[in-house]
Short mmCIF file of all heavy atoms in Angstrom, two decimals:
data_model
loop_
_atom_site.label_atom_id
_atom_site.label_comp_id
_atom_site.label_asym_id
_atom_site.label_seq_id
_atom_site.Cartn_x
_atom_site.Cartn_y
_atom_site.Cartn_z
N LEU R 74 -1.13 8.05 -3.17
CA LEU R 74 -2.05 7.11 -3.81
C LEU R 74 -1.94 5.77 -3.10
O LEU R 74 -0.84 5.23 -2.96
CB LEU R 74 -1.70 6.94 -5.29
CG LEU R 74 -2.47 5.89 -6.09
CD1 LEU R 74 -3.95 6.24 -6.16
CD2 LEU R 74 -1.87 5.74 -7.50
N ILE R 76 -3.01 2.05 -3.40
CA ILE R 76 -3.52 1.10 -4.39
C ILE R 76 -4.02 -0.16 -3.70
O ILE R 76 -3.32 -0.77 -2.90
CB ILE R 76 -2.41 0.77 -5.41
CG1 ILE R 76 -2.12 2.00 -6.27
CG2 ILE R 76 -2.81 -0.43 -6.29
CD1 ILE R 76 -0.99 1.82 -7.23
N ILE R 99 -7.78 3.65 -3.82
CA ILE R 99 -8.52 2.88 -4.82
C ILE R 99 -8.75 1.47 -4.31
O ILE R 99 -7.80 0.76 -3.94
CB ILE R 99 -7.77 2.82 -6.16
CG1 ILE R 99 -7.52 4.23 -6.70
CG2 ILE R 99 -8.55 1.99 -7.17
CD1 ILE R 99 -6.65 4.25 -7.96
N ASP R 129 -11.84 -0.84 -10.50
CA ASP R 129 -10.66 -1.60 -10.88
C ASP R 129 -9.43 -0.70 -10.84
O ASP R 129 -9.44 0.41 -11.36
CB ASP R 129 -10.85 -2.15 -12.30
CG ASP R 129 -9.64 -2.91 -12.80
OD1 ASP R 129 -9.51 -4.10 -12.50
OD2 ASP R 129 -8.81 -2.27 -13.48
N VAL R 130 -8.37 -1.17 -10.20
CA VAL R 130 -7.16 -0.36 -10.03
C VAL R 130 -6.66 0.18 -11.36
O VAL R 130 -6.35 1.37 -11.50
CB VAL R 130 -6.06 -1.17 -9.33
CG1 VAL R 130 -4.70 -0.50 -9.49
CG2 VAL R 130 -6.38 -1.35 -7.85
N PHE R 131 -6.58 -0.69 -12.36
CA PHE R 131 -5.96 -0.32 -13.62
C PHE R 131 -6.82 0.65 -14.44
O PHE R 131 -6.30 1.40 -15.26
CB PHE R 131 -5.64 -1.56 -14.44
CG PHE R 131 -4.57 -2.40 -13.80
CD1 PHE R 131 -4.90 -3.46 -12.96
CD2 PHE R 131 -3.23 -2.13 -14.01
CE1 PHE R 131 -3.92 -4.21 -12.34
CE2 PHE R 131 -2.25 -2.87 -13.40
CZ PHE R 131 -2.58 -3.92 -12.56
N GLU R 132 -8.13 0.64 -14.19
CA GLU R 132 -9.00 1.62 -14.84
C GLU R 132 -9.00 2.93 -14.06
O GLU R 132 -8.89 4.01 -14.64
CB GLU R 132 -10.42 1.05 -14.94
CG GLU R 132 -10.53 -0.16 -15.85
CD GLU R 132 -11.93 -0.74 -15.89
OE1 GLU R 132 -12.83 -0.16 -15.24
OE2 GLU R 132 -12.13 -1.78 -16.55
N ALA R 133 -9.12 2.83 -12.74
CA ALA R 133 -9.21 4.04 -11.92
C ALA R 133 -7.94 4.87 -11.97
O ALA R 133 -7.99 6.11 -12.00
CB ALA R 133 -9.54 3.66 -10.49
N ILE R 134 -6.81 4.21 -12.01
CA ILE R 134 -5.53 4.94 -11.95
C ILE R 134 -5.33 5.80 -13.19
O ILE R 134 -4.67 6.84 -13.13
CB ILE R 134 -4.37 3.95 -11.74
CG1 ILE R 134 -3.12 4.69 -11.25
CG2 ILE R 134 -4.05 3.19 -13.01
CD1 ILE R 134 -1.99 3.77 -10.86
N ARG R 135 -5.91 5.40 -14.29
CA ARG R 135 -5.75 6.18 -15.52
C ARG R 135 -6.59 7.45 -15.52
O ARG R 135 -6.44 8.31 -16.39
CB ARG R 135 -6.06 5.31 -16.74
CG ARG R 135 -5.06 4.18 -16.90
CD ARG R 135 -5.09 3.51 -18.25
NE ARG R 135 -4.07 2.47 -18.36
CZ ARG R 135 -2.79 2.70 -18.63
NH1 ARG R 135 -2.39 3.94 -18.83
NH2 ARG R 135 -1.94 1.71 -18.71
N GLY R 136 -7.48 7.58 -14.54
CA GLY R 136 -8.24 8.80 -14.41
C GLY R 136 -7.57 9.83 -13.51
O GLY R 136 -8.12 10.92 -13.31
N ILE R 137 -6.39 9.50 -13.00
CA ILE R 137 -5.68 10.41 -12.12
C ILE R 137 -4.87 11.40 -12.94
O ILE R 137 -4.22 11.04 -13.93
CB ILE R 137 -4.76 9.62 -11.17
CG1 ILE R 137 -5.61 8.77 -10.22
CG2 ILE R 137 -3.85 10.55 -10.37
CD1 ILE R 137 -4.79 7.87 -9.32
N GLU R 138 -4.90 12.65 -12.55
CA GLU R 138 -4.19 13.70 -13.28
C GLU R 138 -2.68 13.53 -13.14
O GLU R 138 -2.16 13.22 -12.06
CB GLU R 138 -4.60 15.07 -12.73
CG GLU R 138 -3.98 16.25 -13.45
CD GLU R 138 -4.42 17.57 -12.86
OE1 GLU R 138 -5.32 17.56 -12.00
OE2 GLU R 138 -3.84 18.61 -13.24
N LEU R 160 1.46 -1.72 -14.13
CA LEU R 160 1.21 -0.82 -13.01
C LEU R 160 2.38 0.14 -12.81
O LEU R 160 2.19 1.36 -12.68
CB LEU R 160 0.97 -1.61 -11.73
CG LEU R 160 0.76 -0.76 -10.48
CD1 LEU R 160 -0.49 0.10 -10.60
CD2 LEU R 160 0.69 -1.64 -9.24
N THR R 163 2.54 2.73 -15.49
CA THR R 163 1.52 3.76 -15.33
C THR R 163 1.91 4.76 -14.25
O THR R 163 1.73 5.97 -14.41
CB THR R 163 0.16 3.12 -14.99
OG1 THR R 163 -0.20 2.20 -16.02
CG2 THR R 163 -0.92 4.19 -14.87
N LEU R 164 2.45 4.27 -13.13
CA LEU R 164 2.91 5.17 -12.07
C LEU R 164 3.99 6.11 -12.60
O LEU R 164 4.00 7.31 -12.31
CB LEU R 164 3.44 4.38 -10.88
CG LEU R 164 2.42 3.54 -10.11
CD1 LEU R 164 3.11 2.78 -8.98
CD2 LEU R 164 1.29 4.42 -9.56
N LEU R 167 2.52 8.80 -14.71
CA LEU R 167 1.81 9.79 -13.91
C LEU R 167 2.76 10.75 -13.20
O LEU R 167 2.32 11.74 -12.61
CB LEU R 167 0.93 9.09 -12.86
CG LEU R 167 -0.33 8.40 -13.37
CD1 LEU R 167 -1.01 7.66 -12.22
CD2 LEU R 167 -1.29 9.42 -13.98
#
Side-chain angles (χ1 to χ4, degrees):
L74 174 64
I76 291 176
I99 301 174
D129 177 85
V130 164
F131 293 94
E132 295 177 3
I134 198 173
R135 295 195 178 279
I137 294 175
E138 183 180 351
L160 177 63
T163 302
L164 294 178
L167 287 175

